[in-house]
Amino acid sequence: MSDTLPTVVGLELEREFAERPNDDKPRQSRNDGPPRRPKRRRRRSRADNPMRGIVTGKADRFTIYALLILMAVLFAFPLYSAIVKSLEVNGIQNYVSLFTDPVGDVPIWQTYLNSLAVGAVHAAIVVTVSVTAGYAFSKLQFRGRELSFSAVLLFLAVPGIAILVPVYRITQELGLFNTYLGVGMPEAAITIPFGVLLMRNYGRNIGDSLIEAANLDGAGHFRIFWNIFVPLSRPAIINLMVLCFIWSLQDFLWPSFLFTDPSLTTAAQAVSTFSSALGRGAGDLARFNASLVVLAVPAVLFVVFGLRFIVNGLTTGSTKD
Amino acid sequence: MTIREQPRPVLKRRTSRRSDWKVALVFLLPLFVMYGIYYLYSIGFLASTSTTKVSVTFFNSIDVGWRNYVQLLTDPVFIRSMVNNVLFACISIVAALTVAFFIATALATGVRAKRLFYLIFLLPALMPLSLVATIFGSMLTERTGVLNETLRAIGLGALAQPWLTQPGLAFAVVAVIFCYLIGLPIMYYTADLSALPTESLEAALLDGAGTFRIMRSIIYPMMRGTHITIVLSLLLGSFRSLEVVLFSTRGGPGQSTEIVGTYIYGFATSGGPTIGFVSAVSIIVLVIALVLSIAQMVITRPRKDMR
């Protein structure tokens, strides 16, 4: 249990955490004398997680649990309500029928695949642009580097809706309506400022010694980039990719304007497709809620299996949204 | 900012490697292409379109000068949606600085089932916003919604409300959804907590300070940098939260819960010759986003240098 925090928190933070001088008492006392077992255990967990120590009394611990559980119930209520509603009228049959008798013009599993395909394009573009730019901004020396980096970050906060009109125009000009590329590119454009920030922050923490050694060996920048920088930034690249996939999964704006072919409907878009395809009767409402629950599944899987990458990525990049 | 602070040897190397700019140009080329298309071209296109009256086909555009901007800035609905936008952002900021801080701190003190708690609290922020808002909308429907059904079932039927159709309540509902999405602040606090210096905690413990006292008086002030990051990111995020309103109240009833995102969306999907007008709104939103970005850079810079 005590190792959950370092797993959740970023790689660098983990390192920072480990490198902190051993001046806190519990950690040092762990080594002296033959400690009795239970005592040792307690001390150890304290040392791993200094925050653990701040809960001193039983009453405090109880209050913390009570408040956390209360909030967890409130937070879980909407999803619970969707599940309750989804089982009305026909029970589990509501779920089965989603797969055997698709709602609207698109099978529900197809919406996952569409989101995934858009996510792949999104991730490929973001990673290519961010890793190359991240290398330039962290490992190359040129005049105006910090200035141009600041210029890149200016666009960190641009909301997609603000460039809706030109993106529509660009997609028209390039003939990219109803293509994964057509949606993946504007998504990437919105993510790139963040990606560059993340890769540059990560790149700055990669030591120069390896690069200098390679430089002395006569390796050019392209070899250094490909054989040293890219492999060393792999953790950051993975975080970035996971984030791209989850943002594609969440994105409603671009698919809703740039996909007109129903078979391309993405998961986030399907919510409105299903809502208009189903009536307002009790049976339809139940089926609609079942579809909402099914559409939430990928996000749940992402959080269960990818939370570490998401948190690492978001906190290394320090700001997004 | 960093070059000036670097020690001498580095400075010397820098001068000897100045030719890097050619290589840098190659490495930055993909970035230039994407920025060129989606930001530079976009802004130019918006600026030129914003003074015209044109439909989405972009044919037969009529030059109307500044009229779009005048119309926009005198439209009470636009002002309203701007104000709403900021209000919702402020409400979510308050929730983040209190509830999210508490959740992150409490979970860092080594509670049981921590992963389950993280799942519950972070999931909403990682699901499609359209889905979250729709679930709220469905849950709060007056006749068939689970909330009213539950209230009736436990004998509190008097509390059942037309949540989505009464202006004040609908506003509260949207505010609640914004607060529901505080997963990101929780992540920021969790990350910052793990890098917390332990000395001051131990000193406070020796002084006999209680848990909540330590949280409030010791840990909270130490997270100043994170607070600022969160305030700015939520303020900016509110401009991206089109779906929150679109899928719960659709901006209604009347236009009482409209935000900038739904305002643009409404005009963009209306099908009329509104694209020039939409471009003018977009320019205003872009200016706000850029100003907030600059503010963010200026405010967070000293903190980064300190670290």
Coordinates of all heavy atoms in Angstrom, one line a residue, chain B residues 53-96:
Chain B
K53 N -19.6 39.2 -43.7 CA -20.8 38.4 -43.4 C -20.8 37.3 -44.4 O -20.8 37.5 -45.7 CB -22.0 39.3 -43.7 CG -23.3 38.6 -43.4 CD -24.5 39.6 -43.5 CE -25.8 38.9 -43.4 NZ -26.8 39.6 -42.7
V54 N -20.7 36.0 -44.0 CA -20.5 34.9 -44.8 C -21.0 33.6 -44.2 O -21.1 33.5 -43.0 CB -19.0 34.8 -45.2 CG1 -18.2 34.4 -44.0 CG2 -18.7 33.8 -46.4
S55 N -21.4 32.7 -45.0 CA -21.9 31.4 -44.5 C -20.7 30.4 -44.6 O -19.6 30.8 -45.0 CB -23.1 30.9 -45.3 OG -22.6 30.3 -46.5
V56 N -21.0 29.2 -44.1 CA -19.9 28.2 -44.0 C -19.4 27.8 -45.4 O -18.3 27.1 -45.5 CB -20.4 27.0 -43.1 CG1 -21.3 26.1 -43.9 CG2 -19.2 26.3 -42.5
T57 N -20.1 28.1 -46.4 CA -19.5 27.8 -47.8 C -18.4 28.7 -48.2 O -17.7 28.5 -49.1 CB -20.6 27.8 -48.8 OG1 -21.2 29.2 -48.8 CG2 -21.7 26.8 -48.6
F58 N -18.3 29.9 -47.5 CA -17.3 30.9 -47.8 C -17.5 31.6 -49.1 O -16.6 32.2 -49.6 CB -15.9 30.4 -47.6 CG -15.6 29.9 -46.2 CD1 -15.5 28.5 -45.9 CD2 -15.5 30.7 -45.1 CE1 -15.3 28.0 -44.6 CE2 -15.2 30.3 -43.9 CZ -15.1 28.9 -43.6
F59 N -18.7 31.4 -49.7 CA -18.9 32.1 -51.0 C -19.6 33.5 -50.7 O -20.3 33.6 -49.6 CB -19.8 31.3 -51.9 CG -19.1 30.2 -52.6 CD1 -19.6 28.9 -52.5 CD2 -17.9 30.4 -53.3 CE1 -18.9 27.8 -53.1 CE2 -17.2 29.3 -53.9 CZ -17.7 28.0 -53.8
N60 N -19.6 34.4 -51.6 CA -20.3 35.6 -51.5 C -20.1 36.3 -50.2 O -21.1 36.7 -49.6 CB -21.8 35.4 -51.7 CG -22.1 34.7 -53.1 OD1 -21.4 35.0 -54.1 ND2 -23.1 33.8 -53.1
S61 N -18.9 36.5 -49.8 CA -18.8 37.2 -48.5 C -18.9 38.7 -48.7 O -18.5 39.3 -49.7 CB -17.4 36.9 -47.9 OG -16.4 37.7 -48.4
I62 N -19.6 39.3 -47.8 CA -19.9 40.8 -47.8 C -19.0 41.4 -46.7 O -19.1 41.0 -45.6 CB -21.4 41.1 -47.6 CG1 -22.2 40.2 -48.6 CG2 -21.7 42.5 -47.7 CD1 -23.7 40.1 -48.1
D63 N -18.3 42.5 -47.1 CA -17.5 43.2 -46.1 C -18.4 44.0 -45.2 O -19.2 44.8 -45.7 CB -16.5 44.1 -46.8 CG -15.5 44.6 -45.9 OD1 -15.2 43.9 -44.9 OD2 -15.0 45.8 -46.1
V64 N -18.3 43.8 -43.9 CA -19.1 44.6 -43.0 C -18.3 45.4 -42.0 O -18.8 46.0 -41.1 CB -20.1 43.7 -42.2 CG1 -21.2 43.1 -43.2 CG2 -19.4 42.7 -41.4
G65 N -17.0 45.5 -42.2 CA -16.2 46.2 -41.3 C -16.2 45.7 -39.9 O -16.2 44.5 -39.7
W66 N -16.3 46.6 -39.0 CA -16.3 46.3 -37.5 C -17.7 45.9 -37.0 O -17.8 45.7 -35.8 CB -15.7 47.4 -36.7 CG -14.3 47.7 -37.0 CD1 -13.8 48.7 -37.8 CD2 -13.2 47.0 -36.5 NE1 -12.5 48.7 -37.9 CE2 -12.0 47.6 -37.1 CE3 -13.0 46.0 -35.6 CZ2 -10.7 47.2 -36.8 CZ3 -11.7 45.5 -35.3 CH2 -10.6 46.1 -35.9
R67 N -18.6 45.8 -37.9 CA -20.0 45.6 -37.4 C -20.2 44.3 -36.5 O -20.9 44.3 -35.5 CB -21.0 45.6 -38.5 CG -22.3 46.3 -38.2 CD -23.2 46.3 -39.4 NE -22.6 47.0 -40.5 CZ -23.1 46.9 -41.8 NH1 -24.1 46.1 -42.0 NH2 -22.5 47.6 -42.8
N68 N -19.5 43.2 -36.9 CA -19.6 42.0 -36.1 C -19.1 42.2 -34.7 O -19.7 41.7 -33.8 CB -18.7 40.9 -36.8 CG -19.3 40.3 -38.0 OD1 -20.5 40.3 -38.1 ND2 -18.5 39.9 -38.9
Y69 N -18.0 43.0 -34.6 CA -17.5 43.2 -33.2 C -18.4 44.1 -32.4 O -18.7 43.8 -31.2 CB -16.1 43.9 -33.3 CG -15.0 42.9 -33.8 CD1 -14.7 42.9 -35.1 CD2 -14.4 42.1 -32.9 CE1 -13.7 42.0 -35.6 CE2 -13.4 41.2 -33.3 CZ -13.0 41.2 -34.7 OH -12.1 40.3 -35.1
V70 N -19.0 45.1 -33.1 CA -19.9 46.0 -32.4 C -21.1 45.2 -31.9 O -21.6 45.2 -30.7 CB -20.4 47.1 -33.3 CG1 -21.4 48.0 -32.6 CG2 -19.2 48.0 -33.7
Q71 N -21.7 44.4 -32.9 CA -22.8 43.6 -32.5 C -22.6 42.6 -31.4 O -23.4 42.5 -30.5 CB -23.2 42.8 -33.8 CG -24.6 42.1 -33.7 CD -24.8 41.1 -34.8 OE1 -24.1 41.2 -35.9 NE2 -25.6 40.1 -34.6
L72 N -21.4 42.0 -31.4 CA -20.9 41.1 -30.4 C -20.9 41.7 -29.0 O -21.4 41.2 -28.1 CB -19.6 40.5 -30.9 CG -18.8 39.7 -29.9 CD1 -19.6 38.4 -29.6 CD2 -17.4 39.4 -30.4
L73 N -20.2 42.8 -29.0 CA -19.9 43.4 -27.7 C -21.1 44.1 -27.1 O -21.1 44.5 -25.9 CB -18.7 44.4 -27.8 CG -17.4 43.7 -28.1 CD1 -16.3 44.7 -28.4 CD2 -17.0 42.8 -27.0
T74 N -22.2 44.3 -27.9 CA -23.4 44.8 -27.4 C -24.5 43.7 -27.2 O -25.6 44.1 -26.8 CB -23.9 45.9 -28.3 OG1 -24.0 45.4 -29.6 CG2 -23.0 47.1 -28.3
D75 N -24.1 42.5 -27.5 CA -25.1 41.4 -27.3 C -25.1 41.0 -25.9 O -24.1 40.4 -25.3 CB -24.7 40.2 -28.2 CG -25.7 39.1 -28.1 OD1 -26.7 39.3 -27.4 OD2 -25.4 38.0 -28.7
P76 N -26.3 41.2 -25.2 CA -26.4 40.8 -23.8 C -26.1 39.3 -23.6 O -25.6 38.9 -22.5 CB -27.8 41.2 -23.4 CG -28.5 41.5 -24.6 CD -27.5 41.8 -25.7
V77 N -26.4 38.5 -24.6 CA -26.2 37.0 -24.4 C -24.7 36.7 -24.4 O -24.2 35.9 -23.6 CB -26.9 36.2 -25.5 CG1 -26.7 34.7 -25.3 CG2 -28.4 36.5 -25.5
F78 N -24.0 37.4 -25.2 CA -22.5 37.2 -25.2 C -21.9 37.7 -23.9 O -21.1 36.9 -23.3 CB -21.8 38.0 -26.3 CG -20.3 37.9 -26.3 CD1 -19.7 36.7 -26.6 CD2 -19.5 39.0 -25.9 CE1 -18.4 36.6 -26.6 CE2 -18.2 38.8 -25.9 CZ -17.6 37.6 -26.2
I79 N -22.3 38.8 -23.4 CA -21.8 39.3 -22.1 C -22.2 38.3 -21.0 O -21.3 37.9 -20.2 CB -22.5 40.7 -21.7 CG1 -22.3 41.7 -22.9 CG2 -21.9 41.2 -20.4 CD1 -20.9 42.1 -23.2
R80 N -23.4 37.8 -21.1 CA -23.9 36.8 -20.1 C -23.0 35.6 -20.2 O -22.6 35.0 -19.1 CB -25.3 36.5 -20.5 CG -25.9 35.4 -19.7 CD -26.9 35.9 -18.7 NE -26.9 35.1 -17.6 CZ -28.0 34.9 -16.8 NH1 -29.1 35.6 -17.1 NH2 -28.0 34.1 -15.8
S81 N -22.7 35.1 -21.4 CA -22.0 33.8 -21.5 C -20.6 34.0 -21.0 O -20.0 33.1 -20.4 CB -22.0 33.3 -22.9 OG -21.6 34.2 -23.8
M82 N -20.0 35.2 -21.2 CA -18.7 35.5 -20.7 C -18.7 35.5 -19.2 O -17.8 34.8 -18.6 CB -18.3 37.0 -21.1 CG -17.3 37.1 -22.3 SD -16.0 36.0 -22.3 CE -15.0 36.6 -23.6
V83 N -19.7 36.2 -18.6 CA -19.8 36.2 -17.1 C -20.0 34.8 -16.6 O -19.3 34.4 -15.6 CB -20.9 37.2 -16.7 CG1 -21.2 37.1 -15.2 CG2 -20.6 38.6 -17.1
N84 N -20.9 34.1 -17.2 CA -21.1 32.7 -16.8 C -19.8 31.9 -16.8 O -19.5 31.1 -15.9 CB -22.1 32.0 -17.7 CG -23.6 32.4 -17.3 OD1 -23.8 33.1 -16.3 ND2 -24.5 32.0 -18.1
N85 N -19.1 32.0 -17.9 CA -17.9 31.3 -18.1 C -16.9 31.5 -16.9 O -16.4 30.6 -16.3 CB -17.2 31.8 -19.3 CG -16.5 30.8 -20.1 OD1 -16.8 30.5 -21.2 ND2 -15.5 30.2 -19.5
V86 N -16.8 32.8 -16.5 CA -15.9 33.2 -15.4 C -16.5 32.7 -14.1 O -15.7 32.2 -13.3 CB -15.6 34.7 -15.4 CG1 -14.8 35.1 -14.2 CG2 -14.9 35.1 -16.7
L87 N -17.8 32.8 -14.0 CA -18.4 32.4 -12.7 C -18.2 30.9 -12.5 O -17.8 30.4 -11.4 CB -19.9 32.7 -12.7 CG -20.3 34.1 -12.4 CD1 -21.8 34.2 -12.5 CD2 -19.8 34.5 -11.0
F88 N -18.5 30.1 -13.6 CA -18.3 28.6 -13.4 C -16.8 28.3 -13.1 O -16.5 27.4 -12.3 CB -18.7 27.9 -14.7 CG -20.2 27.9 -14.9 CD1 -20.8 28.2 -16.2 CD2 -21.1 27.6 -13.9 CE1 -22.1 28.2 -16.4 CE2 -22.5 27.6 -14.1 CZ -23.0 27.9 -15.3
A89 N -15.9 29.0 -13.8 CA -14.5 28.8 -13.5 C -14.2 29.1 -12.1 O -13.5 28.3 -11.4 CB -13.7 29.7 -14.4
C90 N -14.7 30.2 -11.5 CA -14.4 30.6 -10.2 C -15.0 29.5 -9.2 O -14.3 29.2 -8.2 CB -15.1 32.0 -9.8 SG -14.2 33.3 -10.6
I91 N -16.2 29.1 -9.5 CA -16.8 28.0 -8.6 C -15.9 26.8 -8.6 O -15.6 26.2 -7.5 CB -18.2 27.7 -9.0 CG1 -19.1 29.0 -8.8 CG2 -18.8 26.5 -8.2 CD1 -20.5 28.9 -9.4
S92 N -15.4 26.4 -9.8 CA -14.6 25.2 -9.8 C -13.3 25.4 -9.2 O -12.7 24.5 -8.6 CB -14.5 24.7 -11.3 OG -13.7 25.5 -12.0
I93 N -12.8 26.7 -9.2 CA -11.5 27.0 -8.6 C -11.7 26.9 -7.1 O -10.8 26.3 -6.4 CB -11.1 28.4 -8.9 CG1 -10.5 28.4 -10.4 CG2 -10.0 28.9 -8.0 CD1 -10.3 29.8 -11.0
V94 N -12.8 27.4 -6.5 CA -13.0 27.3 -5.1 C -13.1 25.8 -4.7 O -12.5 25.4 -3.7 CB -14.4 28.0 -4.7 CG1 -14.7 27.6 -3.3 CG2 -14.2 29.5 -4.9
A95 N -13.8 25.0 -5.5 CA -13.9 23.6 -5.2 C -12.5 22.9 -5.3 O -12.1 22.1 -4.4 CB -14.8 22.9 -6.2
A96 N -11.7 23.3 -6.3 CA -10.4 22.7 -6.4 C -9.5 23.1 -5.2 O -8.8 22.2 -4.7 CB -9.7 23.2 -7.7

